[in-house]
Short mmCIF file of all heavy atoms in Angstrom, two decimals:
data_model
loop_
_atom_site.label_atom_id
_atom_site.label_comp_id
_atom_site.label_asym_id
_atom_site.label_seq_id
_atom_site.Cartn_x
_atom_site.Cartn_y
_atom_site.Cartn_z
N ILE A 12 0.83 -1.24 -0.05
CA ILE A 12 -0.05 0.08 0.03
C ILE A 12 0.88 1.22 -0.06
O ILE A 12 0.51 2.27 -0.68
CB ILE A 12 -0.92 -0.03 1.19
CG1 ILE A 12 -1.98 -1.10 0.94
CG2 ILE A 12 -1.63 1.38 1.43
CD1 ILE A 12 -3.07 -1.24 2.08
N ASP A 13 2.07 1.18 0.67
CA ASP A 13 2.89 2.47 0.76
C ASP A 13 3.52 2.73 -0.62
O ASP A 13 4.14 3.81 -0.78
CB ASP A 13 3.87 2.21 1.97
CG ASP A 13 4.74 1.08 1.77
OD1 ASP A 13 4.55 0.29 0.71
OD2 ASP A 13 5.59 0.86 2.61
N LYS A 14 3.54 1.76 -1.49
CA LYS A 14 3.98 1.98 -2.83
C LYS A 14 2.95 2.70 -3.76
O LYS A 14 3.30 3.06 -4.83
CB LYS A 14 4.49 0.63 -3.47
CG LYS A 14 5.49 -0.15 -2.79
CD LYS A 14 6.89 0.57 -2.89
CE LYS A 14 7.96 -0.29 -2.23
NZ LYS A 14 9.28 0.36 -2.22
N ILE A 15 1.74 2.70 -3.32
CA ILE A 15 0.57 3.36 -4.13
C ILE A 15 0.24 4.60 -3.51
O ILE A 15 0.03 5.64 -4.18
CB ILE A 15 -0.52 2.27 -4.15
CG1 ILE A 15 -0.13 0.94 -4.89
CG2 ILE A 15 -1.78 3.02 -5.00
CD1 ILE A 15 -1.14 -0.09 -4.85
N PHE A 16 -0.04 4.57 -2.13
CA PHE A 16 -0.63 5.70 -1.48
C PHE A 16 0.40 6.40 -0.63
O PHE A 16 1.16 5.88 0.20
CB PHE A 16 -1.83 5.33 -0.67
CG PHE A 16 -2.90 4.65 -1.41
CD1 PHE A 16 -3.03 3.16 -1.31
CD2 PHE A 16 -3.79 5.34 -2.27
CE1 PHE A 16 -4.01 2.58 -2.05
CE2 PHE A 16 -4.76 4.68 -2.89
CZ PHE A 16 -4.93 3.33 -2.79
N GLU A 17 0.48 7.73 -0.77
CA GLU A 17 1.30 8.45 0.25
C GLU A 17 0.62 8.70 1.54
O GLU A 17 1.33 8.67 2.54
CB GLU A 17 1.57 9.96 -0.51
CG GLU A 17 2.47 10.71 0.32
CD GLU A 17 2.66 12.11 -0.37
OE1 GLU A 17 2.87 12.18 -1.62
OE2 GLU A 17 2.64 13.17 0.40
N GLU A 18 -0.65 8.81 1.42
CA GLU A 18 -1.53 8.99 2.62
C GLU A 18 -2.79 8.18 2.49
O GLU A 18 -3.29 8.02 1.38
CB GLU A 18 -1.91 10.45 2.83
CG GLU A 18 -0.75 11.50 3.05
CD GLU A 18 -1.25 12.83 3.05
OE1 GLU A 18 -2.47 13.15 3.21
OE2 GLU A 18 -0.43 13.82 3.09
N PHE A 19 -3.30 7.63 3.55
CA PHE A 19 -4.54 6.83 3.53
C PHE A 19 -5.33 7.19 4.84
O PHE A 19 -4.93 6.69 5.93
CB PHE A 19 -4.27 5.43 3.20
CG PHE A 19 -5.56 4.58 2.89
CD1 PHE A 19 -5.63 4.27 1.55
CD2 PHE A 19 -6.38 4.17 3.86
CE1 PHE A 19 -6.78 3.54 1.20
CE2 PHE A 19 -7.52 3.44 3.58
CZ PHE A 19 -7.79 3.22 2.09
N ASN A 20 -6.41 7.74 4.75
CA ASN A 20 -7.24 7.96 5.95
C ASN A 20 -8.07 6.76 6.24
O ASN A 20 -8.99 6.40 5.47
CB ASN A 20 -8.17 9.19 5.67
CG ASN A 20 -8.97 9.58 6.96
OD1 ASN A 20 -8.96 8.95 7.88
ND2 ASN A 20 -9.62 10.75 6.79
N GLU A 21 -7.81 6.15 7.40
CA GLU A 21 -8.47 4.97 7.71
C GLU A 21 -9.83 5.03 8.25
O GLU A 21 -10.46 4.07 8.72
CB GLU A 21 -7.54 4.11 8.68
CG GLU A 21 -6.17 3.65 7.97
CD GLU A 21 -5.45 2.73 8.93
OE1 GLU A 21 -5.88 2.39 9.91
OE2 GLU A 21 -4.29 2.31 8.38
N THR A 22 -10.21 6.29 8.42
CA THR A 22 -11.68 6.54 8.84
C THR A 22 -12.56 6.57 7.60
O THR A 22 -12.35 7.51 6.73
CB THR A 22 -11.73 7.80 9.64
OG1 THR A 22 -10.96 7.73 10.81
CG2 THR A 22 -13.18 7.95 10.09
N PRO A 23 -13.47 5.68 7.45
CA PRO A 23 -14.32 5.77 6.22
C PRO A 23 -15.21 7.07 6.17
O PRO A 23 -15.69 7.48 7.21
CB PRO A 23 -15.20 4.45 6.33
CG PRO A 23 -15.19 4.12 7.82
CD PRO A 23 -13.85 4.65 8.33
N ILE A 24 -15.37 7.59 5.01
CA ILE A 24 -16.22 8.76 4.83
C ILE A 24 -17.63 8.40 4.46
O ILE A 24 -18.50 9.23 4.43
CB ILE A 24 -15.64 9.75 3.86
CG1 ILE A 24 -15.47 9.08 2.40
CG2 ILE A 24 -14.25 10.26 4.28
CD1 ILE A 24 -15.10 10.11 1.25
N ALA A 25 -17.82 7.22 4.02
CA ALA A 25 -19.20 6.73 3.59
C ALA A 25 -19.21 5.17 3.65
O ALA A 25 -18.22 4.56 3.51
CB ALA A 25 -19.53 7.27 2.25
N ALA A 26 -20.46 4.60 3.91
CA ALA A 26 -20.65 3.17 3.85
C ALA A 26 -21.89 2.96 3.10
O ALA A 26 -22.95 3.55 3.36
CB ALA A 26 -20.75 2.63 5.32
N ALA A 27 -21.76 2.01 2.20
CA ALA A 27 -22.94 1.56 1.32
C ALA A 27 -23.26 0.09 1.55
O ALA A 27 -22.56 -0.53 2.31
CB ALA A 27 -22.74 1.92 -0.16
N SER A 28 -24.31 -0.40 0.91
CA SER A 28 -24.66 -1.78 1.15
C SER A 28 -23.64 -2.76 0.61
O SER A 28 -23.54 -3.88 1.08
CB SER A 28 -26.01 -2.04 0.39
OG SER A 28 -25.93 -1.65 -0.93
N LEU A 29 -22.90 -2.23 -0.48
CA LEU A 29 -21.91 -3.24 -1.05
C LEU A 29 -20.44 -2.91 -0.64
O LEU A 29 -19.66 -3.76 -0.76
CB LEU A 29 -21.99 -3.24 -2.54
CG LEU A 29 -23.36 -3.60 -3.13
CD1 LEU A 29 -23.32 -3.63 -4.70
CD2 LEU A 29 -23.81 -5.00 -2.57
N GLY A 30 -20.20 -1.67 -0.28
CA GLY A 30 -18.80 -1.26 -0.11
C GLY A 30 -18.67 -0.05 0.90
O GLY A 30 -19.64 0.43 1.39
N GLN A 31 -17.48 0.30 1.12
CA GLN A 31 -17.06 1.34 2.06
C GLN A 31 -16.11 2.37 1.41
O GLN A 31 -15.28 1.88 0.49
CB GLN A 31 -16.43 0.85 3.32
CG GLN A 31 -16.62 1.71 4.52
CD GLN A 31 -16.64 0.79 5.77
OE1 GLN A 31 -17.66 0.29 6.22
NE2 GLN A 31 -15.40 0.63 6.41
N VAL A 32 -16.11 3.59 1.65
CA VAL A 32 -15.38 4.57 0.94
C VAL A 32 -14.33 5.32 1.86
O VAL A 32 -14.74 5.71 2.86
CB VAL A 32 -16.32 5.69 0.22
CG1 VAL A 32 -15.51 6.71 -0.53
CG2 VAL A 32 -17.33 4.95 -0.70
N TYR A 33 -13.13 5.49 1.33
CA TYR A 33 -12.12 6.02 2.13
C TYR A 33 -11.39 7.22 1.25
O TYR A 33 -11.49 7.16 -0.07
CB TYR A 33 -10.99 5.05 2.49
CG TYR A 33 -11.41 4.03 3.42
CD1 TYR A 33 -12.08 2.92 2.98
CD2 TYR A 33 -11.30 4.11 4.88
CE1 TYR A 33 -12.55 1.85 3.80
CE2 TYR A 33 -11.63 3.17 5.64
CZ TYR A 33 -12.33 2.05 5.12
OH TYR A 33 -12.83 0.93 5.93
N GLU A 34 -10.70 8.14 1.98
CA GLU A 34 -9.96 9.25 1.31
C GLU A 34 -8.46 8.82 1.37
O GLU A 34 -7.97 8.17 2.28
CB GLU A 34 -10.20 10.55 2.00
CG GLU A 34 -11.54 11.15 1.77
CD GLU A 34 -11.62 12.47 2.57
OE1 GLU A 34 -11.21 12.49 3.80
OE2 GLU A 34 -12.20 13.46 1.97
N ALA A 35 -7.79 9.17 0.26
CA ALA A 35 -6.33 8.82 0.19
C ALA A 35 -5.63 9.82 -0.71
O ALA A 35 -6.35 10.59 -1.53
CB ALA A 35 -6.16 7.30 -0.29
N LYS A 36 -4.29 9.60 -0.78
CA LYS A 36 -3.51 10.48 -1.74
C LYS A 36 -2.46 9.51 -2.31
O LYS A 36 -1.87 8.83 -1.55
CB LYS A 36 -2.79 11.59 -0.93
CG LYS A 36 -2.04 12.46 -1.79
CD LYS A 36 -1.51 13.75 -0.97
CE LYS A 36 -0.86 14.73 -1.82
NZ LYS A 36 -0.29 15.87 -1.07
N LEU A 37 -2.40 9.54 -3.59
CA LEU A 37 -1.49 8.69 -4.34
C LEU A 37 -0.01 9.22 -4.29
O LEU A 37 0.14 10.40 -4.00
CB LEU A 37 -1.90 8.57 -5.85
CG LEU A 37 -3.25 7.86 -6.17
CD1 LEU A 37 -3.55 8.03 -7.60
CD2 LEU A 37 -3.34 6.53 -5.67
#
């Protein structure tokens, strides 16, 4: 993951019936 994302916020910003959404920086 550290080879793809410079930052990854582990607190989800949204949750849906099929998945969960996070903010990150490549």
Side-chain angles (χ1 to χ4, degrees):
I12 292 178
D13 57 1
K14 299 290 185 183
I15 301 173
F16 302 104
E17 182 180 322
E18 299 174 9
F19 195 99
N20 184 353
E21 295 189 359
T22 302
I24 60 171
S28 55
L29 301 184
Q31 205 153 274
V32 181
Y33 295 86
E34 290 179 315
K36 185 176 183 179
L37 296 176

